[in-house]
Coordinates of all heavy atoms in Angstrom, one line a residue:
H286 N -12.2 0.5 70.0 CA -12.2 -0.6 69.2 C -10.7 -0.9 68.8 O -10.2 -2.1 68.8 CB -13.0 -0.4 67.9 CG -12.8 -1.5 66.9 ND1 -13.4 -2.7 66.9 CD2 -12.0 -1.5 65.8 CE1 -13.0 -3.4 65.9 NE2 -12.1 -2.7 65.2
L287 N -10.0 0.1 68.3 CA -8.6 0.0 67.9 C -7.7 -0.5 69.1 O -6.8 -1.3 68.9 CB -8.1 1.3 67.3 CG -8.6 1.6 66.0 CD1 -8.3 3.1 65.6 CD2 -8.1 0.7 64.9
L288 N -8.1 0.0 70.3 CA -7.3 -0.4 71.5 C -7.4 -1.9 71.7 O -6.4 -2.5 72.1 CB -7.9 0.4 72.6 CG -7.1 0.3 74.0 CD1 -5.7 0.9 73.8 CD2 -7.8 1.1 75.0
R289 N -8.6 -2.4 71.5 CA -8.9 -3.8 71.7 C -8.3 -4.7 70.6 O -7.9 -5.9 70.8 CB -10.4 -4.1 71.9 CG -11.0 -3.8 73.2 CD -12.4 -4.4 73.3 NE -13.2 -4.0 72.2 CZ -14.0 -2.9 72.1 NH1 -14.0 -2.1 73.1 NH2 -14.7 -2.6 71.1
A290 N -8.4 -4.2 69.4 CA -8.0 -5.0 68.2 C -6.5 -5.3 68.2 O -5.7 -4.7 68.8 CB -8.4 -4.2 66.9
P291 N -6.2 -6.4 67.4 CA -4.7 -6.7 67.3 C -3.9 -5.5 66.8 O -4.4 -4.8 66.0 CB -4.7 -7.9 66.3 CG -6.1 -8.3 66.2 CD -7.0 -7.2 66.6
E292 N -2.7 -5.4 67.2 CA -1.8 -4.3 66.8 C -1.7 -4.3 65.3 O -1.6 -3.2 64.7 CB -0.4 -4.5 67.5 CG 0.4 -3.3 67.3 CD 1.7 -3.3 68.1 OE1 1.7 -4.1 69.1 OE2 2.6 -2.6 67.7
E293 N -1.7 -5.4 64.6 CA -1.6 -5.5 63.2 C -2.6 -4.7 62.5 O -2.4 -4.0 61.5 CB -1.7 -7.0 62.8 CG -1.5 -7.3 61.3 CD -0.1 -6.8 60.8 OE1 0.8 -6.6 61.6 OE2 0.0 -6.7 59.5
Q294 N -3.8 -4.7 63.0 CA -4.9 -3.9 62.4 C -4.6 -2.4 62.4 O -4.9 -1.7 61.4 CB -6.3 -4.2 63.1 CG -7.5 -3.7 62.3 CD -8.8 -4.0 63.0 OE1 -8.9 -4.9 63.8 NE2 -9.8 -3.2 62.8
S295 N -4.1 -1.9 63.6 CA -3.8 -0.5 63.7 C -2.7 -0.2 62.7 O -2.7 0.9 62.1 CB -3.4 -0.2 65.1 OG -4.4 -0.3 66.0
K296 N -1.7 -1.1 62.6 CA -0.6 -0.8 61.7 C -1.1 -0.7 60.2 O -0.6 0.2 59.5 CB 0.4 -2.0 61.9 CG 1.8 -1.6 61.3 CD 2.8 -2.6 61.6 CE 4.1 -2.3 60.8 NZ 3.9 -1.7 59.5
L297 N -2.0 -1.7 59.8 CA -2.5 -1.6 58.5 C -3.2 -0.3 58.2 O -3.1 0.3 57.1 CB -3.4 -2.8 58.2 CG -2.7 -4.2 58.1 CD1 -3.8 -5.3 58.0 CD2 -1.8 -4.2 56.9
L298 N -4.0 0.1 59.2 CA -4.8 1.4 59.0 C -3.8 2.6 58.9 O -4.0 3.4 58.0 CB -5.7 1.5 60.2 CG -6.6 2.8 60.3 CD1 -7.5 2.9 59.1 CD2 -7.3 2.9 61.6
A299 N -2.9 2.6 59.8 CA -1.9 3.7 59.8 C -1.2 3.8 58.5 O -1.0 4.8 57.9 CB -1.0 3.6 61.0
D300 N -0.7 2.6 58.0 CA 0.0 2.5 56.7 C -0.9 3.0 55.5 O -0.4 3.7 54.6 CB 0.4 1.1 56.4 CG 1.6 0.7 57.3 OD1 2.2 1.6 58.0 OD2 2.0 -0.5 57.4
A301 N -2.1 2.5 55.6 CA -3.1 2.9 54.5 C -3.3 4.4 54.4 O -3.3 5.0 53.4 CB -4.4 2.2 54.6
I302 N -3.4 5.0 55.6 CA -3.6 6.5 55.7 C -2.3 7.2 55.1 O -2.4 8.1 54.3 CB -3.9 6.9 57.1 CG1 -5.2 6.4 57.5 CG2 -3.9 8.5 57.2 CD1 -5.6 6.6 59.0
L303 N -1.1 6.8 55.6 CA 0.1 7.4 55.2 C 0.3 7.2 53.7 O 0.8 8.1 53.0 CB 1.3 6.8 55.9 CG 1.5 7.4 57.3 CD1 2.6 6.7 58.0 CD2 1.7 8.9 57.3
S304 N 0.0 6.0 53.2 CA 0.3 5.7 51.8 C -0.5 6.5 50.8 O -0.1 6.9 49.8 CB 0.2 4.2 51.6 OG -0.5 3.9 50.4
V305 N -1.8 6.8 51.3 CA -2.7 7.7 50.5 C -2.0 9.1 50.3 O -2.0 9.7 49.3 CB -4.1 7.7 51.1 CG1 -4.7 9.1 51.1 CG2 -5.0 6.8 50.4
K306 N -1.5 9.6 51.5 CA -0.9 10.9 51.4 C 0.4 10.9 50.6 O 0.8 11.9 49.9 CB -0.6 11.4 52.8 CG -1.8 11.6 53.7 CD -2.8 12.5 53.1 CE -2.4 13.9 53.1 NZ -3.5 14.8 52.4
Q307 N 1.2 9.8 50.7 CA 2.5 9.8 50.0 C 2.4 9.4 48.5 O 3.2 9.9 47.7 CB 3.4 8.8 50.7 CG 3.9 9.3 52.1 CD 4.4 8.2 53.0 OE1 4.3 7.0 52.6 NE2 4.9 8.5 54.1
K308 N 1.4 8.5 48.2 CA 1.4 8.0 46.8 C 0.4 8.7 45.9 O 0.5 8.6 44.7 CB 1.2 6.5 46.8 CG 2.3 5.8 47.4 CD 2.1 4.3 47.3 CE 3.2 3.5 48.1 NZ 2.7 2.3 48.7

Side-chain angles (χ1 to χ4, degrees):
H286 168 82
L287 288 168
L288 189 63
R289 279 192 311 269
E292 191 172 338
E293 182 61 15
Q294 193 181 332
S295 293
K296 196 175 173 319
L297 287 174
L298 177 63
D300 284 351
I302 294 172
L303 280 178
S304 137
V305 139
K306 297 306 287 182
Q307 287 160 355
K308 294 185 186 148

